Amino acid sequence: MSAISTATNSVTTLIPVGSVPIGIAMATLTTPFSEFRVKDLDIDRRNFTVAGSFTPGAGSSGINPTKQEVVLTIGDFTLTILPVRSSPTTTTTTSGSKGGSKGWMWSFKSVMNPSPERRESVPEFKFRVEAREADPSRQPNPVTVTLKIGNNEGTTLVNAH
């Protein structure tokens, strides 16, 4: 039997199962961000903008939107952004029409920030999503915002403006 990483789409472990295995199980494991902040969430009847930052958790296998799907959820509204093709260490911007919106733009930037506790730099990622003709305005306030990139995920409660 082979264990396959969905983040890299490669075999990570070979597991001997004998001559007659009787079952199989699949699991999706998520790693929470060590920090996830939404600094701005603006919603009106036809558009929304959300901006924030996150730091991967200790068990993260890495953040790479060039190879990983990005899923942004605001209440019960979900926008799925397929992998983008550019460097994950620079600002990445992509746009399209998906997830119930007529147009969206996603930008992503990796920044190394010094960690006073560990005396080393830790990656902090900044993100911004703008969607036009999307209507998450019927959400309660405060609203739950979740960002998932590959197997990394963060959730927070935000007051929308």
Side-chain angles (χ1 to χ4, degrees):
M1 179 172 66
S2 300
I4 299 172
S5 166
T6 57
T8 62
N9 199 26
S10 62
V11 174
T12 59
T13 308
L14 294 174
I15 304 165
V17 293
S19 60
V20 189
I22 58 172
I24 188 168
M26 294 177 64
T28 301
L29 304 174
T30 58
T31 302
F33 296 136
S34 64
E35 284 189 62
F36 177 58
R37 291 181 295 248
V38 173
K39 71 172 191 173
D40 189 30
L41 175 60
D42 293 322
I43 298 175
D44 65 31
R45 291 181 189 239
R46 300 180 63 203
N47 310 304
F48 77 83
T49 302
V50 60
S53 62
F54 61 89
T55 303
S60 174
S61 59
I63 303 290
N64 187 347
T66 64
K67 295 183 179 179
Q68 298 167 319
E69 182 176 85
V70 177
V71 179
L72 173 68
T73 305
I74 301 171
D76 62 6
F77 178 88
T78 299
L79 177 65
T80 301
I81 303 167
L82 298 177
V84 296
R85 293 180 182 92
S86 63
S87 170
T89 58
T90 60
T91 299
T92 298
T93 303
T94 189
S95 61
S97 177
K98 203 168 182 71
S101 70
K102 289 189 178 175
W104 51 264
M105 185 172 72
W106 150 259
S107 65
F108 174 88
K109 185 175 185 178
S110 171
V111 190
M112 294 300 285
N113 288 331
S115 169
E117 307 85 43
R118 293 187 286 190
R119 296 183 183 182
E120 60 189 44
S121 290
V122 295
E124 179 184 53
F125 296 87
K126 296 181 187 243
F127 68 94
R128 181 176 179 84
V129 177
E130 297 177 29
R132 302 292 171 241
E133 301 298 325
D135 188 7
S137 65
R138 291 180 224 123
Q139 306 301 326
N141 207 9
V143 62
T144 300
V145 175
T146 300
L147 180 66
K148 183 174 182 188
I149 303 176
N151 69 334
N152 303 274
E153 183 173 23
T155 300
T156 189
L157 201 57
V158 179
N159 283 310
H161 306 286

